[in-house]
Amino acid sequence: EIVRLATTRNLQVAQARESWEMARGGRTSAWAGLLPNLQGSVGYNRTTQKYGGPVINTQTGQVYTGQTSDNYSLGLNGGVNIIDLPSLYSFRGAGQSLVAAGYGFDDAVQSIVLQVKQQYYAFTQSQELARVARDSYTLRTEQQRRAESLFQLGSVAKSDVLQAQVNLSAAEREKIGAENRIEQERARLAMMLALPVDSRLEVEPPA
């Protein structure tokens, strides 16, 4: 699940995917420059002449009351570039850019997958180390109490009590440090998943 989140939400992966999509569009545009071009046109024109009254042709004797003429036009033209070096070079360059962008996208995905897996193990390891530190602190607390009880009974020396207190203080520092490391590793994993750094992210430990 965290790998899926990383590959869909991570900023670096999103930028690589956008570059790949742009490269695909660039190759499509370059391909259009190599295609045959075809253009068509249709036209229509109607002209009407009207007279104030009947007009008689003195030579033929024909009577005209008006005149209408219709003109139609249809055009179609096309062309094919046999050798268009600029378009050809542009298409080849766009294809190379697309391949490079594809490699870049794959590298970004594989890189973030590796980083997320490493961070996942770092996070779960910090949780395990914190559990060990808490158990050690509990043990040192019991040892310190036992040393004080035995000292009051006269069974141990004062130095044993002091040593137990030193061991308890060290265990407390280790416990606090381990708890802090959990939060640090949690925040790093959340950043890789494009989540807020203060997200209460919980994961299952590895089987």
Side-chain angles (χ1 to χ4, degrees), residues 2 6 9 14 25 33 54 61 64 77 85 123 140 145 148-149 151 160 164 170 173 177 184:
I2 60 174
R9 295 174 59 92
Y64 298 96
N77 60 77
L85 293 180
F123 180 38
R140 295 299 184 183
R145 291 175 181 174
E148 288 184 350
S149 297
F151 174 72
D160 293 333
R173 289 194 300 271
Q184 293 172 357

Side-chain angles (χ1 to χ4, degrees), residues 18-19 46 49 73 94 106 191 196 203 205:
E18 182 180 0
S19 297
R46 181 168 187 163
Q49 288 182 335
S73 64
D106 291 339
M191 289 180 61
V203 298

